mmCIF file of all heavy atoms in Angstrom:
data_model
loop_
_atom_site.group_PDB
_atom_site.id
_atom_site.type_symbol
_atom_site.label_atom_id
_atom_site.label_comp_id
_atom_site.label_asym_id
_atom_site.label_seq_id
_atom_site.Cartn_x
_atom_site.Cartn_y
_atom_site.Cartn_z
ATOM 1 N N SER A 8 0.832 -1.201 0.000
ATOM 2 C CA SER A 8 0.000 0.000 0.000
ATOM 3 C C SER A 8 0.859 1.242 0.000
ATOM 4 O O SER A 8 2.067 1.173 0.210
ATOM 5 C CB SER A 8 -0.912 0.011 1.222
ATOM 6 O OG SER A 8 -0.133 0.210 2.383
ATOM 7 N N LEU A 9 0.229 2.371 -0.180
ATOM 8 C CA LEU A 9 0.961 3.641 -0.165
ATOM 9 C C LEU A 9 1.685 3.826 1.163
ATOM 10 O O LEU A 9 2.846 4.195 1.198
ATOM 11 C CB LEU A 9 -0.025 4.787 -0.379
ATOM 12 C CG LEU A 9 0.532 6.199 -0.211
ATOM 13 C CD1 LEU A 9 1.638 6.459 -1.235
ATOM 14 C CD2 LEU A 9 -0.566 7.237 -0.392
ATOM 15 N N ARG A 10 0.986 3.550 2.232
ATOM 16 C CA ARG A 10 1.568 3.793 3.553
ATOM 17 C C ARG A 10 2.828 2.956 3.785
ATOM 18 O O ARG A 10 3.737 3.369 4.466
ATOM 19 C CB ARG A 10 0.520 3.483 4.626
ATOM 20 C CG ARG A 10 0.957 3.880 6.019
ATOM 21 C CD ARG A 10 -0.233 3.945 6.960
ATOM 22 N NE ARG A 10 -1.167 5.011 6.574
ATOM 23 C CZ ARG A 10 -2.293 5.275 7.224
ATOM 24 N NH1 ARG A 10 -2.648 4.564 8.261
ATOM 25 N NH2 ARG A 10 -3.083 6.245 6.830
ATOM 26 N N ASP A 11 2.889 1.803 3.153
ATOM 27 C CA ASP A 11 4.048 0.931 3.332
ATOM 28 C C ASP A 11 5.329 1.554 2.797
ATOM 29 O O ASP A 11 6.423 1.174 3.174
ATOM 30 C CB ASP A 11 3.818 -0.403 2.614
ATOM 31 C CG ASP A 11 2.738 -1.225 3.295
ATOM 32 O OD1 ASP A 11 2.537 -1.033 4.503
ATOM 33 O OD2 ASP A 11 2.109 -2.043 2.612
ATOM 34 N N HIS A 12 5.177 2.512 1.861
ATOM 35 C CA HIS A 12 6.353 3.116 1.245
ATOM 36 C C HIS A 12 6.833 4.365 1.986
ATOM 37 O O HIS A 12 7.845 4.939 1.645
ATOM 38 C CB HIS A 12 6.066 3.484 -0.211
ATOM 39 C CG HIS A 12 5.870 2.278 -1.073
ATOM 40 N ND1 HIS A 12 6.891 1.401 -1.363
ATOM 41 C CD2 HIS A 12 4.776 1.791 -1.686
ATOM 42 C CE1 HIS A 12 6.416 0.433 -2.138
ATOM 43 N NE2 HIS A 12 5.137 0.644 -2.333
ATOM 44 N N ILE A 13 6.075 4.806 2.968
ATOM 45 C CA ILE A 13 6.496 5.971 3.740
ATOM 46 C C ILE A 13 7.436 5.514 4.854
ATOM 47 O O ILE A 13 7.076 4.704 5.682
ATOM 48 C CB ILE A 13 5.273 6.700 4.341
ATOM 49 C CG1 ILE A 13 4.333 7.156 3.222
ATOM 50 C CG2 ILE A 13 5.741 7.890 5.186
ATOM 51 C CD1 ILE A 13 3.052 7.800 3.721
ATOM 52 N N HIS A 14 8.620 6.031 4.833
ATOM 53 C CA HIS A 14 9.613 5.634 5.822
ATOM 54 C C HIS A 14 9.229 6.146 7.204
ATOM 55 O O HIS A 14 8.451 7.085 7.343
ATOM 56 C CB HIS A 14 10.989 6.177 5.440
ATOM 57 C CG HIS A 14 11.499 5.593 4.159
ATOM 58 N ND1 HIS A 14 12.723 5.933 3.624
ATOM 59 C CD2 HIS A 14 10.962 4.697 3.293
ATOM 60 C CE1 HIS A 14 12.899 5.265 2.497
ATOM 61 N NE2 HIS A 14 11.847 4.523 2.264
ATOM 62 N N THR A 15 9.811 5.534 8.193
ATOM 63 C CA THR A 15 9.483 5.901 9.567
ATOM 64 C C THR A 15 9.866 7.344 9.877
ATOM 65 O O THR A 15 9.315 7.951 10.785
ATOM 66 C CB THR A 15 10.197 4.962 10.554
ATOM 67 O OG1 THR A 15 11.578 4.932 10.249
ATOM 68 C CG2 THR A 15 9.619 3.563 10.482
ATOM 69 N N ASP A 16 10.805 7.893 9.103
ATOM 70 C CA ASP A 16 11.194 9.293 9.332
ATOM 71 C C ASP A 16 10.293 10.264 8.575
ATOM 72 O O ASP A 16 10.508 11.465 8.579
ATOM 73 C CB ASP A 16 12.667 9.518 8.975
ATOM 74 C CG ASP A 16 12.923 9.326 7.478
ATOM 75 O OD1 ASP A 16 11.972 8.978 6.749
ATOM 76 O OD2 ASP A 16 14.062 9.523 7.050
ATOM 77 N N GLY A 17 9.286 9.738 7.859
ATOM 78 C CA GLY A 17 8.333 10.588 7.160
ATOM 79 C C GLY A 17 8.692 10.872 5.724
ATOM 80 O O GLY A 17 7.913 11.476 5.003
ATOM 81 N N SER A 18 9.856 10.449 5.262
ATOM 82 C CA SER A 18 10.243 10.710 3.879
ATOM 83 C C SER A 18 9.546 9.742 2.924
ATOM 84 O O SER A 18 9.152 8.644 3.321
ATOM 85 C CB SER A 18 11.757 10.586 3.718
ATOM 86 O OG SER A 18 12.166 9.235 3.869
ATOM 87 N N LEU A 19 9.438 10.156 1.680
ATOM 88 C CA LEU A 19 8.799 9.315 0.682
ATOM 89 C C LEU A 19 9.871 8.774 -0.264
ATOM 90 O O LEU A 19 9.977 9.179 -1.405
ATOM 91 C CB LEU A 19 7.768 10.129 -0.107
ATOM 92 C CG LEU A 19 6.522 10.533 0.683
ATOM 93 C CD1 LEU A 19 5.754 11.603 -0.081
ATOM 94 C CD2 LEU A 19 5.611 9.340 0.904
ATOM 95 N N GLY A 20 10.662 7.858 0.244
ATOM 96 C CA GLY A 20 11.778 7.343 -0.545
ATOM 97 C C GLY A 20 11.349 6.754 -1.872
ATOM 98 O O GLY A 20 11.974 6.990 -2.899
ATOM 99 N N TYR A 21 10.275 6.001 -1.854
ATOM 100 C CA TYR A 21 9.790 5.358 -3.073
ATOM 101 C C TYR A 21 9.431 6.393 -4.136
ATOM 102 O O TYR A 21 9.788 6.268 -5.293
ATOM 103 C CB TYR A 21 8.576 4.509 -2.719
ATOM 104 C CG TYR A 21 7.895 3.863 -3.902
ATOM 105 C CD1 TYR A 21 8.414 2.684 -4.454
ATOM 106 C CD2 TYR A 21 6.755 4.402 -4.455
ATOM 107 C CE1 TYR A 21 7.794 2.081 -5.528
ATOM 108 C CE2 TYR A 21 6.123 3.795 -5.529
ATOM 109 C CZ TYR A 21 6.651 2.637 -6.067
ATOM 110 O OH TYR A 21 6.026 2.049 -7.134
ATOM 111 N N PHE A 22 8.760 7.448 -3.729
ATOM 112 C CA PHE A 22 8.308 8.439 -4.685
ATOM 113 C C PHE A 22 9.423 9.402 -5.091
ATOM 114 O O PHE A 22 9.425 9.912 -6.189
ATOM 115 C CB PHE A 22 7.120 9.210 -4.128
ATOM 116 C CG PHE A 22 5.892 8.343 -4.036
ATOM 117 C CD1 PHE A 22 5.485 7.832 -2.828
ATOM 118 C CD2 PHE A 22 5.179 8.023 -5.181
ATOM 119 C CE1 PHE A 22 4.367 7.013 -2.753
ATOM 120 C CE2 PHE A 22 4.066 7.210 -5.119
ATOM 121 C CZ PHE A 22 3.649 6.691 -3.897
ATOM 122 N N GLN A 23 10.343 9.641 -4.215
ATOM 123 C CA GLN A 23 11.471 10.501 -4.583
ATOM 124 C C GLN A 23 12.195 9.917 -5.785
ATOM 125 O O GLN A 23 12.612 10.634 -6.673
ATOM 126 C CB GLN A 23 12.444 10.637 -3.402
ATOM 127 C CG GLN A 23 11.928 11.574 -2.330
ATOM 128 C CD GLN A 23 12.858 11.647 -1.138
ATOM 129 O OE1 GLN A 23 13.811 10.871 -1.042
ATOM 130 N NE2 GLN A 23 12.587 12.553 -0.222
ATOM 131 N N HIS A 24 12.299 8.608 -5.822
ATOM 132 C CA HIS A 24 12.962 7.968 -6.950
ATOM 133 C C HIS A 24 12.083 8.044 -8.197
ATOM 134 O O HIS A 24 12.547 8.380 -9.273
ATOM 135 C CB HIS A 24 13.285 6.515 -6.614
ATOM 136 C CG HIS A 24 13.934 5.783 -7.746
ATOM 137 N ND1 HIS A 24 15.244 5.999 -8.116
ATOM 138 C CD2 HIS A 24 13.459 4.869 -8.612
ATOM 139 C CE1 HIS A 24 15.530 5.244 -9.157
ATOM 140 N NE2 HIS A 24 14.472 4.542 -9.477
ATOM 141 N N SER A 25 10.813 7.757 -8.039
ATOM 142 C CA SER A 25 9.906 7.699 -9.180
ATOM 143 C C SER A 25 9.789 9.038 -9.887
ATOM 144 O O SER A 25 9.638 9.095 -11.098
ATOM 145 C CB SER A 25 8.519 7.267 -8.713
ATOM 146 O OG SER A 25 8.570 5.970 -8.183
ATOM 147 N N PHE A 26 9.857 10.119 -9.143
ATOM 148 C CA PHE A 26 9.650 11.440 -9.728
ATOM 149 C C PHE A 26 10.946 12.240 -9.798
ATOM 150 O O PHE A 26 10.941 13.450 -9.686
ATOM 151 C CB PHE A 26 8.616 12.207 -8.915
ATOM 152 C CG PHE A 26 7.253 11.568 -8.994
ATOM 153 C CD1 PHE A 26 6.629 11.114 -7.857
ATOM 154 C CD2 PHE A 26 6.622 11.435 -10.218
ATOM 155 C CE1 PHE A 26 5.376 10.519 -7.929
ATOM 156 C CE2 PHE A 26 5.364 10.845 -10.298
ATOM 157 C CZ PHE A 26 4.742 10.381 -9.148
ATOM 158 N N SER A 27 12.047 11.538 -10.018
ATOM 159 C CA SER A 27 13.342 12.212 -10.004
ATOM 160 C C SER A 27 13.466 13.247 -11.113
ATOM 161 O O SER A 27 14.255 14.177 -10.991
ATOM 162 C CB SER A 27 14.478 11.195 -10.136
ATOM 163 O OG SER A 27 14.364 10.489 -11.349
ATOM 164 N N VAL A 28 12.714 13.122 -12.191
ATOM 165 C CA VAL A 28 12.806 14.088 -13.289
ATOM 166 C C VAL A 28 11.540 14.928 -13.413
ATOM 167 O O VAL A 28 11.444 15.788 -14.275
ATOM 168 C CB VAL A 28 13.099 13.418 -14.645
ATOM 169 C CG1 VAL A 28 14.408 12.660 -14.596
ATOM 170 C CG2 VAL A 28 11.964 12.513 -15.075
ATOM 171 N N TYR A 29 10.566 14.693 -12.556
ATOM 172 C CA TYR A 29 9.294 15.388 -12.696
ATOM 173 C C TYR A 29 9.434 16.886 -12.418
ATOM 174 O O TYR A 29 10.024 17.284 -11.420
ATOM 175 C CB TYR A 29 8.263 14.790 -11.740
ATOM 176 C CG TYR A 29 6.902 15.452 -11.861
ATOM 177 C CD1 TYR A 29 6.097 15.204 -12.966
ATOM 178 C CD2 TYR A 29 6.462 16.332 -10.898
ATOM 179 C CE1 TYR A 29 4.877 15.810 -13.098
ATOM 180 C CE2 TYR A 29 5.231 16.951 -11.011
ATOM 181 C CZ TYR A 29 4.438 16.689 -12.115
ATOM 182 O OH TYR A 29 3.233 17.298 -12.237
ATOM 183 N N ASP A 30 8.873 17.693 -13.298
ATOM 184 C CA ASP A 30 8.864 19.146 -13.141
ATOM 185 C C ASP A 30 10.261 19.733 -13.016
ATOM 186 O O ASP A 30 10.498 20.672 -12.287
ATOM 187 C CB ASP A 30 8.026 19.530 -11.905
ATOM 188 C CG ASP A 30 7.611 20.995 -11.960
ATOM 189 O OD1 ASP A 30 7.592 21.565 -13.061
ATOM 190 O OD2 ASP A 30 7.307 21.553 -10.901
ATOM 191 N N ARG A 31 11.193 19.154 -13.735
ATOM 192 C CA ARG A 31 12.574 19.635 -13.682
ATOM 193 C C ARG A 31 13.065 19.962 -15.086
ATOM 194 O O ARG A 31 14.224 19.741 -15.420
ATOM 195 C CB ARG A 31 13.479 18.584 -13.031
ATOM 196 C CG ARG A 31 13.208 18.438 -11.539
ATOM 197 C CD ARG A 31 14.096 17.370 -10.923
ATOM 198 N NE ARG A 31 15.514 17.667 -11.084
ATOM 199 C CZ ARG A 31 16.189 18.525 -10.338
ATOM 200 N NH1 ARG A 31 15.596 19.185 -9.380
ATOM 201 N NH2 ARG A 31 17.467 18.725 -10.528
ATOM 202 N N GLU A 32 12.207 20.509 -15.925
ATOM 203 C CA GLU A 32 12.593 20.826 -17.298
ATOM 204 C C GLU A 32 13.814 21.728 -17.331
ATOM 205 O O GLU A 32 13.885 22.724 -16.602
ATOM 206 C CB GLU A 32 11.427 21.531 -18.000
ATOM 207 C CG GLU A 32 11.726 21.845 -19.454
ATOM 208 C CD GLU A 32 10.551 22.531 -20.125
ATOM 209 O OE1 GLU A 32 9.652 22.997 -19.431
ATOM 210 O OE2 GLU A 32 10.551 22.590 -21.368
ATOM 211 N N SER A 33 14.752 21.350 -18.183
ATOM 212 C CA SER A 33 15.983 22.117 -18.393
ATOM 213 C C SER A 33 16.882 22.171 -17.166
ATOM 214 O O SER A 33 17.801 22.980 -17.097
ATOM 215 C CB SER A 33 15.665 23.557 -18.833
ATOM 216 O OG SER A 33 14.959 23.524 -20.058
ATOM 217 N N ARG A 34 16.623 21.308 -16.221
ATOM 218 C CA ARG A 34 17.480 21.261 -15.042
ATOM 219 C C ARG A 34 18.296 19.969 -15.074
ATOM 220 O O ARG A 34 18.023 19.059 -15.837
ATOM 221 C CB ARG A 34 16.636 21.331 -13.768
ATOM 222 C CG ARG A 34 15.840 22.614 -13.700
ATOM 223 C CD ARG A 34 15.047 22.715 -12.436
ATOM 224 N NE ARG A 34 15.900 22.938 -11.266
ATOM 225 C CZ ARG A 34 15.436 23.136 -10.046
ATOM 226 N NH1 ARG A 34 14.143 23.123 -9.825
ATOM 227 N NH2 ARG A 34 16.243 23.337 -9.035
ATOM 228 N N ALA A 35 19.281 19.912 -14.219
ATOM 229 C CA ALA A 35 20.162 18.752 -14.228
ATOM 230 C C ALA A 35 19.441 17.492 -13.776
ATOM 231 O O ALA A 35 18.667 17.519 -12.825
ATOM 232 C CB ALA A 35 21.354 19.024 -13.313
ATOM 233 N N CYS A 36 19.707 16.403 -14.473
ATOM 234 C CA CYS A 36 19.150 15.116 -14.087
ATOM 235 C C CYS A 36 19.730 14.700 -12.745
ATOM 236 O O CYS A 36 20.906 14.929 -12.461
ATOM 237 C CB CYS A 36 19.508 14.069 -15.142
ATOM 238 S SG CYS A 36 18.970 12.407 -14.735
ATOM 239 N N ARG A 37 18.890 14.086 -11.939
ATOM 240 C CA ARG A 37 19.341 13.694 -10.593
ATOM 241 C C ARG A 37 19.978 12.307 -10.557
ATOM 242 O O ARG A 37 20.442 11.871 -9.518
ATOM 243 C CB ARG A 37 18.146 13.709 -9.633
ATOM 244 C CG ARG A 37 17.709 15.104 -9.249
ATOM 245 C CD ARG A 37 16.534 15.037 -8.298
ATOM 246 N NE ARG A 37 16.189 16.357 -7.772
ATOM 247 C CZ ARG A 37 15.183 16.585 -6.944
ATOM 248 N NH1 ARG A 37 14.408 15.591 -6.570
ATOM 249 N NH2 ARG A 37 14.933 17.786 -6.502
ATOM 250 N N THR A 38 19.952 11.609 -11.666
ATOM 251 C CA THR A 38 20.528 10.272 -11.655
ATOM 252 C C THR A 38 22.041 10.346 -11.462
ATOM 253 O O THR A 38 22.722 11.026 -12.228
ATOM 254 C CB THR A 38 20.217 9.547 -12.978
ATOM 255 O OG1 THR A 38 18.812 9.483 -13.148
ATOM 256 C CG2 THR A 38 20.809 8.143 -12.979
ATOM 257 N N PRO A 39 22.558 9.657 -10.460
ATOM 258 C CA PRO A 39 23.998 9.702 -10.200
ATOM 259 C C PRO A 39 24.813 9.296 -11.422
ATOM 260 O O PRO A 39 24.541 8.279 -12.039
ATOM 261 C CB PRO A 39 24.181 8.694 -9.062
ATOM 262 C CG PRO A 39 22.841 8.641 -8.390
ATOM 263 C CD PRO A 39 21.836 8.835 -9.491
ATOM 264 N N GLY A 40 25.789 10.114 -11.783
ATOM 265 C CA GLY A 40 26.673 9.799 -12.888
ATOM 266 C C GLY A 40 26.114 10.097 -14.265
ATOM 267 O O GLY A 40 26.771 9.843 -15.261
ATOM 268 N N CYS A 41 24.911 10.635 -14.347
ATOM 269 C CA CYS A 41 24.278 10.888 -15.646
ATOM 270 C C CYS A 41 24.816 12.166 -16.280
ATOM 271 O O CYS A 41 25.388 12.155 -17.355
ATOM 272 C CB CYS A 41 22.769 10.969 -15.498
ATOM 273 S SG CYS A 41 21.931 11.463 -17.018
ATOM 274 N N GLY A 42 24.603 13.295 -15.615
ATOM 275 C CA GLY A 42 25.060 14.565 -16.147
ATOM 276 C C GLY A 42 24.174 15.108 -17.244
ATOM 277 O O GLY A 42 24.503 16.104 -17.884
ATOM 278 N N GLY A 43 23.037 14.476 -17.494
ATOM 279 C CA GLY A 43 22.120 14.905 -18.542
ATOM 280 C C GLY A 43 21.229 16.044 -18.087
ATOM 281 O O GLY A 43 21.301 16.500 -16.950
ATOM 282 N N THR A 44 20.399 16.513 -19.020
ATOM 283 C CA THR A 44 19.459 17.586 -18.731
ATOM 284 C C THR A 44 18.040 17.091 -18.958
ATOM 285 O O THR A 44 17.763 16.422 -19.954
ATOM 286 C CB THR A 44 19.739 18.794 -19.642
ATOM 287 O OG1 THR A 44 21.068 19.230 -19.434
ATOM 288 C CG2 THR A 44 18.769 19.933 -19.334
ATOM 289 N N VAL A 45 17.156 17.429 -18.051
ATOM 290 C CA VAL A 45 15.765 16.986 -18.147
ATOM 291 C C VAL A 45 15.029 17.795 -19.206
ATOM 292 O O VAL A 45 15.133 19.020 -19.245
ATOM 293 C CB VAL A 45 15.060 17.128 -16.782
ATOM 294 C CG1 VAL A 45 13.574 16.737 -16.904
ATOM 295 C CG2 VAL A 45 15.755 16.267 -15.746
ATOM 296 N N ALA A 46 14.298 17.108 -20.074
ATOM 297 C CA ALA A 46 13.508 17.756 -21.104
ATOM 298 C C ALA A 46 12.026 17.481 -20.859
ATOM 299 O O ALA A 46 11.660 16.542 -20.156
ATOM 300 C CB ALA A 46 13.912 17.244 -22.480
ATOM 301 N N ARG A 47 11.181 18.315 -21.456
ATOM 302 C CA ARG A 47 9.735 18.114 -21.322
ATOM 303 C C ARG A 47 9.098 17.974 -22.692
ATOM 304 O O ARG A 47 9.377 18.757 -23.593
ATOM 305 C CB ARG A 47 9.104 19.288 -20.587
ATOM 306 C CG ARG A 47 7.595 19.142 -20.399
ATOM 307 C CD ARG A 47 7.054 20.240 -19.510
ATOM 308 N NE ARG A 47 7.163 21.566 -20.135
ATOM 309 C CZ ARG A 47 6.180 22.121 -20.869
ATOM 310 N NH1 ARG A 47 5.046 21.495 -21.039
ATOM 311 N NH2 ARG A 47 6.347 23.307 -21.408
ATOM 312 N N ILE A 48 8.285 16.976 -22.858
ATOM 313 C CA ILE A 48 7.522 16.813 -24.089
ATOM 314 C C ILE A 48 6.039 16.797 -23.728
ATOM 315 O O ILE A 48 5.669 16.412 -22.625
ATOM 316 C CB ILE A 48 7.898 15.526 -24.841
ATOM 317 C CG1 ILE A 48 7.683 14.294 -23.956
ATOM 318 C CG2 ILE A 48 9.333 15.595 -25.341
ATOM 319 C CD1 ILE A 48 7.909 12.990 -24.687
ATOM 320 N N VAL A 49 5.206 17.232 -24.680
ATOM 321 C CA VAL A 49 3.760 17.224 -24.454
ATOM 322 C C VAL A 49 3.111 16.307 -25.467
ATOM 323 O O VAL A 49 3.270 16.481 -26.675
ATOM 324 C CB VAL A 49 3.171 18.642 -24.572
ATOM 325 C CG1 VAL A 49 1.662 18.602 -24.338
ATOM 326 C CG2 VAL A 49 3.834 19.580 -23.567
ATOM 327 N N GLN A 50 2.414 15.318 -24.962
ATOM 328 C CA GLN A 50 1.724 14.378 -25.834
ATOM 329 C C GLN A 50 0.279 14.277 -25.383
ATOM 330 O O GLN A 50 0.013 13.994 -24.213
ATOM 331 C CB GLN A 50 2.382 12.993 -25.770
ATOM 332 C CG GLN A 50 3.769 12.965 -26.402
ATOM 333 C CD GLN A 50 4.379 11.577 -26.361
ATOM 334 O OE1 GLN A 50 4.328 10.914 -25.350
ATOM 335 N NE2 GLN A 50 4.961 11.143 -27.472
ATOM 336 N N ALA A 51 -0.650 14.496 -26.305
ATOM 337 C CA ALA A 51 -2.083 14.396 -25.999
ATOM 338 C C ALA A 51 -2.457 15.264 -24.800
ATOM 339 O O ALA A 51 -3.261 14.887 -23.968
ATOM 340 C CB ALA A 51 -2.458 12.936 -25.744
ATOM 341 N N GLY A 52 -1.814 16.443 -24.742
ATOM 342 C CA GLY A 52 -2.153 17.386 -23.686
ATOM 343 C C GLY A 52 -1.531 17.101 -22.350
ATOM 344 O O GLY A 52 -1.788 17.802 -21.378
ATOM 345 N N ARG A 53 -0.692 16.065 -22.298
ATOM 346 C CA ARG A 53 -0.040 15.742 -21.028
ATOM 347 C C ARG A 53 1.447 16.021 -21.126
ATOM 348 O O ARG A 53 2.088 15.688 -22.117
ATOM 349 C CB ARG A 53 -0.244 14.263 -20.678
ATOM 350 C CG ARG A 53 -1.685 13.930 -20.380
ATOM 351 C CD ARG A 53 -1.825 12.483 -19.965
ATOM 352 N NE ARG A 53 -1.000 12.181 -18.792
ATOM 353 C CZ ARG A 53 -0.849 10.965 -18.307
ATOM 354 N NH1 ARG A 53 -1.427 9.938 -18.890
ATOM 355 N NH2 ARG A 53 -0.115 10.764 -17.243
ATOM 356 N N SER A 54 1.989 16.605 -20.086
ATOM 357 C CA SER A 54 3.419 16.865 -20.045
ATOM 358 C C SER A 54 4.155 15.638 -19.524
ATOM 359 O O SER A 54 3.741 15.020 -18.558
ATOM 360 C CB SER A 54 3.714 18.052 -19.122
ATOM 361 O OG SER A 54 3.139 19.227 -19.651
ATOM 362 N N THR A 55 5.236 15.317 -20.210
ATOM 363 C CA THR A 55 6.069 14.215 -19.752
ATOM 364 C C THR A 55 7.500 14.710 -19.608
ATOM 365 O O THR A 55 8.046 15.330 -20.517
ATOM 366 C CB THR A 55 6.034 13.048 -20.753
ATOM 367 O OG1 THR A 55 4.695 12.596 -20.884
ATOM 368 C CG2 THR A 55 6.911 11.895 -20.286
ATOM 369 N N PHE A 56 8.098 14.447 -18.480
ATOM 370 C CA PHE A 56 9.474 14.853 -18.237
ATOM 371 C C PHE A 56 10.368 13.633 -18.367
ATOM 372 O O PHE A 56 10.041 12.556 -17.900
ATOM 373 C CB PHE A 56 9.609 15.440 -16.828
ATOM 374 C CG PHE A 56 8.821 16.702 -16.653
ATOM 375 C CD1 PHE A 56 7.502 16.667 -16.268
ATOM 376 C CD2 PHE A 56 9.409 17.929 -16.888
ATOM 377 C CE1 PHE A 56 6.761 17.825 -16.119
ATOM 378 C CE2 PHE A 56 8.682 19.098 -16.737
ATOM 379 C CZ PHE A 56 7.357 19.048 -16.358
ATOM 380 N N TYR A 57 11.491 13.839 -19.036
ATOM 381 C CA TYR A 57 12.399 12.711 -19.194
ATOM 382 C C TYR A 57 13.821 13.199 -19.407
ATOM 383 O O TYR A 57 14.055 14.349 -19.783
ATOM 384 C CB TYR A 57 11.970 11.838 -20.368
ATOM 385 C CG TYR A 57 12.295 12.444 -21.723
ATOM 386 C CD1 TYR A 57 13.381 11.998 -22.465
ATOM 387 C CD2 TYR A 57 11.509 13.476 -22.229
ATOM 388 C CE1 TYR A 57 13.674 12.570 -23.693
ATOM 389 C CE2 TYR A 57 11.806 14.047 -23.460
ATOM 390 C CZ TYR A 57 12.889 13.570 -24.179
ATOM 391 O OH TYR A 57 13.182 14.140 -25.406
ATOM 392 N N CYS A 58 14.736 12.313 -19.159
ATOM 393 C CA CYS A 58 16.150 12.599 -19.399
ATOM 394 C C CYS A 58 16.591 11.788 -20.599
ATOM 395 O O CYS A 58 16.596 10.565 -20.550
ATOM 396 C CB CYS A 58 16.973 12.245 -18.166
ATOM 397 S SG CYS A 58 18.742 12.340 -18.463
ATOM 398 N N ALA A 59 16.940 12.461 -21.676
ATOM 399 C CA ALA A 59 17.325 11.765 -22.911
ATOM 400 C C ALA A 59 18.584 10.942 -22.702
ATOM 401 O O ALA A 59 18.761 9.895 -23.320
ATOM 402 C CB ALA A 59 17.542 12.776 -24.042
ATOM 403 N N THR A 60 19.458 11.398 -21.838
ATOM 404 C CA THR A 60 20.701 10.677 -21.594
ATOM 405 C C THR A 60 20.425 9.333 -20.926
ATOM 406 O O THR A 60 20.981 8.312 -21.299
ATOM 407 C CB THR A 60 21.637 11.516 -20.715
ATOM 408 O OG1 THR A 60 21.887 12.752 -21.375
ATOM 409 C CG2 THR A 60 22.968 10.794 -20.489
ATOM 410 N N CYS A 61 19.542 9.330 -19.956
ATOM 411 C CA CYS A 61 19.200 8.098 -19.254
ATOM 412 C C CYS A 61 18.462 7.118 -20.153
ATOM 413 O O CYS A 61 18.580 5.911 -19.999
ATOM 414 C CB CYS A 61 18.322 8.389 -18.042
ATOM 415 S SG CYS A 61 19.160 9.179 -16.670
ATOM 416 N N GLN A 62 17.676 7.639 -21.085
ATOM 417 C CA GLN A 62 16.779 6.770 -21.840
ATOM 418 C C GLN A 62 17.347 6.319 -23.169
ATOM 419 O O GLN A 62 16.650 5.726 -23.984
ATOM 420 C CB GLN A 62 15.436 7.484 -22.061
ATOM 421 C CG GLN A 62 14.825 7.892 -20.731
ATOM 422 C CD GLN A 62 13.330 8.131 -20.831
ATOM 423 O OE1 GLN A 62 12.757 8.068 -21.898
ATOM 424 N NE2 GLN A 62 12.707 8.389 -19.702
ATOM 425 N N LYS A 63 18.620 6.599 -23.420
ATOM 426 C CA LYS A 63 19.237 6.095 -24.642
ATOM 427 C C LYS A 63 19.394 4.575 -24.562
ATOM 428 O O LYS A 63 19.642 4.055 -23.492
ATOM 429 C CB LYS A 63 20.599 6.742 -24.852
ATOM 430 C CG LYS A 63 20.464 8.145 -25.420
ATOM 431 C CD LYS A 63 21.841 8.754 -25.669
ATOM 432 C CE LYS A 63 21.694 10.156 -26.256
ATOM 433 N NZ LYS A 63 23.011 10.807 -26.386
HETATM 434 ZN ZN1 ZN B 12 19.688 11.290 -16.663
#
């Protein structure tokens, strides 16, 4: 469940990883050792954030 992923210290470790590129257009990718830049694409009215370097 959702609650199972909330750490005892209150952090959302599971979600921090999942949304590492969310809402970070043109900012540095957070993936260790990547060095890429986050880009945003819009498909069917939805914004998608991704790192082209990671997804090669
Ligand atoms: Zn990356």
Side-chain angles (χ1 to χ4, degrees):
S8 69
L9 172 62
R10 188 163 295 179
D11 291 334
H12 292 292
I13 301 176
H14 296 180
T15 52
D16 65 358
S18 69
L19 290 166
Y21 175 81
F22 291 103
Q23 284 177 351
H24 178 74
S25 297
F26 294 120
S27 60
V28 300
Y29 181 73
D30 199 22
R31 290 179 60 79
E32 182 179 15
S33 299
R34 299 182 71 176
C36 176
R37 286 180 173 178
T38 301
C41 173
T44 301
V45 177
R47 180 173 66 92
I48 58 174
V49 180
Q50 291 182 315
R53 293 183 58 186
S54 295
T55 300
F56 296 87
Y57 75 103
C58 172
T60 302
C61 288
Q62 303 201 356
K63 281 182 179 175

